Structure formats: structure tokens, C-alpha cells
């Protein structure tokens, strides 16, 4: 620690040490092999660089990774100053880099992607840093469900959160600058995991995904949503293209559920803005669309996530491939993909081997994207006598 006692907020701490070392942001960025905008983001927003960058950053700033980690912690300031004094007297050596394990032989490979069977932490360790454009994670919710051999789902709360932090640290490492990370879990867990991610990434949204047919819990409010966290690496996303949705209408007559009064002719003909409450994601219950006994994500959910935060050709990673919905969506939408699943991969292999029905399902879903009324709703409105002439319908 320099004798001038830098401040203990992470951003000012990093800026103080950089200036004391006589480095501009651009010069520090060149040493680390990152963009100068990232250095600015670390300093202005107080974000902690990924662990694999910390040793080089610490060396450039004349400090240690351990000292940076202490400053970034939530410990009380007097305790942090005491620990820093101890570290200054007895520096902790930088950890030795761990060898990168090889990826296993893929269980499936397509022209766009590869599916691997194995532990997600080990698989992500084999991936290059900053290589993934969009990461979607739907881990087990720790509810004691049966996901098959090798998938424990009944850990003690602290053990579950510690495991989540381990794989999230790898997820942060492999995410490219400007890339998006989505974490789908129960609010109970995402409350803690959002705080962990916020150390490294920029928070964008907590999306409430409506739960259909959930069960009441004694002495609790009725649970009505899953939490979908949306974080970005860096000050702004590289891709942000949320789809517009049709105007909410009665499924029986096509009439508007909200009175837009004299603003009908001013509404965007491509539909209404997407909000952070998604009440239109159906559960996958019909055996025509269900591919496993455990819960399964809706294709509509993954279509929307990939619309928001990826472009054709981008690399999408799902470390908990489950039934393979994210991989199906990526394949159908022209994204490169990597899937990891610790359990049985054969249902995913079978599903990706015959995509015709899901290609048709996705085409039907896309009829409800970037339009003010779907063709079916327009036909229903006409039959029921609703006037659509005041809307700008393309």
C-alpha cells in the first residue's frame, strides 16, 4: 500500500493507484490487453475485474490481488483497513495459474454448436476467457427435484450459494466485453446471486417471468414469478434489440384490454415496448412439446432472450442445457452455441436431431413479434366488429 492511504471504495482505490503508478487509463488498458473503456468502467462504477486479470492489474498498480479483493469486499471499513495493514506487512503471494483442462469429446456436434456432458465448472474452465457473447443459465433450483444421476438438488442453502458463486465466476470470465448474462432462478436465490454478479458486471434488469399454475406455500405470499437476472459485462451491451409485442387483446373477441383513447393513431405499428414483467411465457406441459420429466423452458422464452442480447453468428453458452431448449433456439436462430449438461444428454441429442416441429413452432411464435396485432387477432377483431382503422397496422 502506498503511504498516502488510498480511499477504500474500489473505483477511487483503483484510480488512486493508477495515478500513483503514473499510468493513463489507455496505458493500463494496453498492459492488460483490454479496452480503455473497461478501465474507465472499473474506476467509475467500482467494478471488480475478472479474477484472471487481477494479478496483472495488481502488478501494474503496485499492489496485490488480495488487497484489491479486500477493498472490493463488503466488510466494514475499519476491518478492511486492518486487513490491508496485515497484507502490507505480510503480502500474500499471487495464486499460480491453474492448467486449463481439455473439453471432453462432444456428445453432439452440429455446424453451429457442440454439446458436452460433464460438470459445468470444469467445462467452462476449458473455454477461452472473454469468448462468449451471450450466456443463459437455468441451474437446478435446489428444491429436491430428481434431475437424474449426478445432479444433487437438496444442498444446504449456503452450500448451494457457494456452488452457484463458483460457476458464476467462470461464467463472468468467459463472457466477452459487452456480452450478456441471464440467470433464471427463484427470487430467493437470485437475491444473493445478483449481489455477487454486481461486483463484476453491470446490472440491466430483474425480469419477472410469470409462473402459471404454481402452488401456494403456507405462511407465504402466493409465489407468482421466477426471477430472470440480466447483467452485461461493461458499461453497455454490445447487442440490445428487444422485440416489440402485440397490443394485449381479448382472446375471445380481439378487443383491446387497455383503452388507448385518442392515441391509437400514434401507436407504433411494430407493437408495444417489452417490459420487465413477462406474463406471456407459457409453461411447457403438453407432451407434444415436453422433452423430459423435469421442468422445461419454453421456446418462447429463449427466442426472446436471444433476440434481446445476441445477433446471428454470436456464440451462446448454456452451462445447464437441461432439455436443450436454449440450444434449439440458438440453432434455429443462426447463433453458434455451446451446451453443457451433467445429466443424460441423449434427450437433447434426439431433440436436435429432428427440429422440424420446433421450426414450425418458432415460425408461429414469430408471427407475434414486431406487430401491433397478430394476423389471428386481426381476423378475430373483424369477425367481432372491432374497429381497427384508427391504428397504423402494417
Amino acid at each position: 500500500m502506498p503511504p498516502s492511504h488510498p480511499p477504500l471504495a474500489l473505483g477511487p482505490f483503483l484510480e488512486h493507484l493508477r495515478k500513483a503508478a503514473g499510468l493513463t487509463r489507455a496505458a493500463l488498458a494496453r498492459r492488460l490487453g483490454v479496452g480503455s473503456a473497461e478501465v474507465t468502467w472499473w474506476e467509475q462504477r467500482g467494478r471488480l475485474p475478472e479474477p484472471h486479470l487481477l494479478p496483472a492489474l495488481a502488478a501494474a498498480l503496485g499492489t496485490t490481488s488480495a488487497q484489491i479483493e479486500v477493498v472490493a469486499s463488503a466488510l466494514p471499513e475499519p476491518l478492511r483497513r486492518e486487513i490491508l495493514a496485515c497484507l502490507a506487512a505480510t503480502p500474500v503471494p499471487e495464486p499460480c495459474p491453474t492448467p486449463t483442462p481439455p473439453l471432453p469429446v462432444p456428445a453432439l456436434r452440429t455446424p453451429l454448436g457442440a454439446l458436452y456432458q460433464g460438470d459445468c465448472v470444469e467445462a467452462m474452465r476449458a473455454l477461452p476467457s472473454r469468448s462468449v457473447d451471450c450466456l443463459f443459465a437455468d441451474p437446478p433450483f435446489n428444491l429436491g427435484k430428481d434431475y437424474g444421476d449426478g445432479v444433487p438438488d437438496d444442498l444446504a442453502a449456503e452450500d448451494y450459494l457457494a456452488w452457484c458463486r463458483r460457476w458464476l465466476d467462470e461464467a463472468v470470465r468467459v463472457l466477452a466485453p459487452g456480452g450478456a448474462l441471464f440467470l433464471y432462478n427463484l427470487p430467493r436465490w437470485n437475491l444473493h446471486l445478483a449481489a455477487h454478479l454486481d461486483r463484476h458486471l453491470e446490472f440491466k434488469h430483474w425480469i419477472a417471468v410469470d409462473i402459471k399454475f404454481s402452488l401456494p406455500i403456507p405462511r407465504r405470499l402466493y409465489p407468482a414469478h421466477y426471477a430472470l437476472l440480466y447483467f452485461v459485462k461493461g458499461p453497455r451491451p454490445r447487442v440490445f434489440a428487444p422485440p416489440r409485442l402485440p397490443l394485449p387483446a381479448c382472446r375471445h373477441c380481439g378487443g383491446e384490454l387497455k383503452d388507448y383513447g385518442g392515441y391509437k393513431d400514434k401507436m407504433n405499428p411494430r407493437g408495444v415496448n417489452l417490459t420487465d414483467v413477462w406474463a406471456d411465457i407459457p409453461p411447457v406441459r403438453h407432451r407434444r412439446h415436453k422433452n423430459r420429466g423435469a421442468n422445461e423452458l419454453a421456446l418462447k422464452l429463449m427466442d426472446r432472450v436471444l433476440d434481446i442480447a445476441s445477433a446471428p453468428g454470436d456464440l451462446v453458452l448454456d452451462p445447464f442445457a437441461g432439455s436443450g431448449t436454449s440450444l434449439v433456439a440458438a440453432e434455429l436462430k443462426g447463433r453458434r452455441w455451446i451446451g453443457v449438461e451433467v445429466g443424460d444428454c441423449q434427450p437433447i441429442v434426439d431433440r436436435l436431431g429432428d427440429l422440424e416441429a420446433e421450426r414450425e413452432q418458432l415460425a408461429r411464435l414469430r408471427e407475434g413479434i414486431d406487430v401491433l396485432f397478430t394476423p389471428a387477432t386481426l381476423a378475430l377483431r373483424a369477425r367481432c366488429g372491432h374497429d381497427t382503422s384508427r391504428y397504423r397496422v402494417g
Side-chain angles (χ1 to χ4, degrees):
M1 292 275 298
S4 52
H5 295 300
L8 283 193
L10 180 61
F13 176 82
L14 295 177
E15 183 177 18
H16 175 94
L17 293 184
R18 175 181 59 77
K19 289 179 177 178
L23 294 170
T24 64
R25 287 171 176 162
L28 178 58
R30 284 194 296 272
R31 282 201 188 187
L32 300 178
V34 302
S36 57
E38 282 190 81
V39 177
T40 302
W41 177 58
W42 296 339
E43 293 182 356
Q44 293 184 350
R45 299 289 292 167
R47 293 300 182 269
L48 184 65
E50 305 99 296
H52 75 283
L53 288 176
L54 280 182
L57 175 64
L61 299 183
T63 185
T64 65
S65 299
Q67 288 176 307
I68 295 175
E69 289 271 13
V70 169
V71 173
S73 74
L75 295 171
E77 181 170 333
L79 180 56
R80 281 185 288 157
R81 289 205 179 274
E82 187 175 338
I83 295 172
L84 288 172
C86 292
L87 290 174
T90 311
V92 175
E94 295 292 347
C96 297
T98 56
T100 301
L103 279 167
V105 176
L108 173 70
R109 189 180 290 280
T110 77
L112 286 174
L115 170 65
Y116 299 95
Q117 184 171 23
D119 177 76
C120 68
V121 175
E122 292 302 310
M124 284 192 284
R125 282 177 180 160
L127 299 178
S129 299
R130 302 181 157 218
S131 60
V132 172
D133 299 300
C134 180
L135 189 149
F136 179 90
D138 173 25
F141 291 174
N142 206 41
L143 294 175
K145 293 191 176 182
D146 181 10
Y147 289 96
D149 293 340
V151 188
D153 195 44
D154 55 355
L155 301 175
E158 217 23 76
D159 291 339
Y160 176 74
L161 290 171
W163 170 72
C164 285
R165 293 182 189 111
R166 283 197 300 274
W167 66 258
L168 281 171
D169 285 345
E170 283 301 316
V172 168
R173 181 187 65 80
V174 302
L175 194 65
L181 186 151
F182 291 86
L183 175 55
Y184 189 69
N185 209 323
L186 301 177
R188 173 191 179 186
W189 303 126
N190 270 358
L191 174 69
H192 300 277
L193 301 177
H196 184 72
L197 287 171
D198 198 54
R199 303 173 72 220
H200 298 285
L201 304 179
E202 193 75 15
F203 172 77
K204 287 289 287 183
H205 291 285
W206 177 298
I207 300 166
V209 181
D210 183 57
I211 300 175
K212 310 292 184 186
F213 313 120
S214 63
L215 297 174
I217 301 175
R219 296 179 296 281
R220 296 275 300 277
L221 296 178
Y222 188 91
H225 82 282
Y226 293 113
L228 177 61
L229 295 177
Y230 172 20
F231 279 83
V232 173
K233 181 181 274 188
R236 60 187 60 85
R238 186 182 61 82
V239 177
F240 183 67
R244 301 182 75 92
L245 303 183
L247 185 150
C250 173
R251 63 189 181 92
H252 300 292
C253 70
E256 300 92 326
L257 297 182
K258 178 180 177 181
D259 183 8
Y260 291 91
Y263 294 93
K264 292 178 180 177
D265 62 341
K266 296 179 175 60
M267 296 192 68
N268 192 317
R270 293 180 58 242
V272 298
N273 287 326
L274 182 66
T275 74
D276 59 6
V277 177
W278 296 358
D280 61 337
I281 304 296
V284 180
R285 299 190 184 277
H286 197 286
R287 62 183 178 183
R288 178 183 176 187
H289 301 301
K290 198 166 176 66
N291 294 274
R292 66 171 184 172
N295 286 352
E296 182 175 321
L297 293 173
L299 184 60
K300 186 174 186 176
L301 174 68
M302 289 311 309
D303 177 50
R304 183 171 297 173
V305 165
L306 296 185
D307 269 356
I308 291 172
S310 72
D314 282 354
L315 179 60
V316 177
L317 169 63
D318 186 342
F320 304 96
S323 67
T325 302
S326 61
L327 314 183
V328 168
E331 185 83 12
L332 293 176
K333 292 171 73 66
R335 275 65 166 168
R336 296 177 298 122
W337 56 266
I338 295 173
V340 182
E341 174 55 40
V342 71
D344 184 11
C345 287
Q346 193 57 47
I348 307 175
V349 173
D350 294 342
R351 187 176 180 185
L352 282 160
D354 183 7
L355 291 175
E356 197 53 42
E358 298 194 85
R359 195 182 307 276
E360 294 173 3
Q361 183 190 359
L362 183 60
R364 290 192 297 271
L365 291 173
R366 299 302 299 180
E367 292 179 356
I369 301 296
D370 293 335
V371 293
L372 194 55
F373 295 102
T374 66
T377 300
L378 284 173
L380 186 58
R381 288 175 64 84
R383 284 201 306 271
C384 295
H386 289 293
D387 181 17
T388 311
S389 63
R390 292 182 60 193
Y391 291 103
R392 294 182 296 156
V393 178

